[in-house]
Amino acid sequence: MQTIIEKLTENAQLIYRKSIDADAIIAKLQSSGKGKFNAIFPSDSGFTASGRFFKPYVEELAQDIANLSQLETEQQKQALPKVVKKIELLLTTLNQFQVSVKV
């Protein structure tokens, strides 16, 4: 399980780097009157965080990964799918955002 947690951490670091760039672009768009939305993900996305930037979601993911290492093996197995879903959602959304902004 330790290897899995290490891979999750690597993915979270990649997401963090991408989110910094995306948040800067969102800030620029919003300062020019564009990007008028209240949250990146809907309330039923699996995140408890909510915001107009990626940062709160990335922080929640990092906390989830940190919490995984504190759990017993059976609890880790139960929590793992939720963490993987969040990673997938963040990576997909960040990649789509990068593509749409370059157009």
Side-chain angles (χ1 to χ4, degrees):
M1 189 55 101
Q2 187 59 35
T3 305
I4 293 171
I5 293 174
E6 288 172 9
K7 291 294 181 189
L8 295 174
T9 302
E10 289 174 17
N11 280 307
Q13 290 170 345
L14 172 67
I15 289 168
Y16 173 74
R17 288 189 294 271
K18 288 182 174 224
S19 72
I20 290 172
D21 295 337
D23 283 350
I25 293 168
I26 291 170
K28 276 185 186 177
L29 288 170
Q30 290 180 346
S31 69
S32 66
K34 299 175 185 168
K36 295 181 181 187
F37 53 88
N38 294 324
I40 303 240
F41 298 111
S43 59
D44 64 349
S45 66
F47 287 97
T48 55
S50 182
R52 299 180 319 188
F53 296 96
F54 284 96
K55 183 179 179 182
Y57 302 102
V58 175
E59 289 172 345
E60 179 178 326
L61 174 64
Q63 187 61 52
D64 288 350
I65 294 170
N67 290 343
L68 267 181
S69 61
Q70 307 298 320
L71 300 174
E72 298 294 323
T73 304
E74 277 307 309
Q75 292 172 317
Q76 286 176 331
K77 289 178 183 176
Q78 291 175 357
L80 189 60
K82 291 179 184 176
V83 173
V84 171
K85 181 184 177 199
K86 288 179 181 181
I87 287 174
E88 182 181 4
L89 206 56
L90 278 165
L91 280 173
T92 302
T93 305
L94 282 163
N95 287 334
Q96 290 173 345
F97 180 75
Q98 286 177 329
V99 167
S100 67
V101 171
K102 289 181 182 178
V103 173

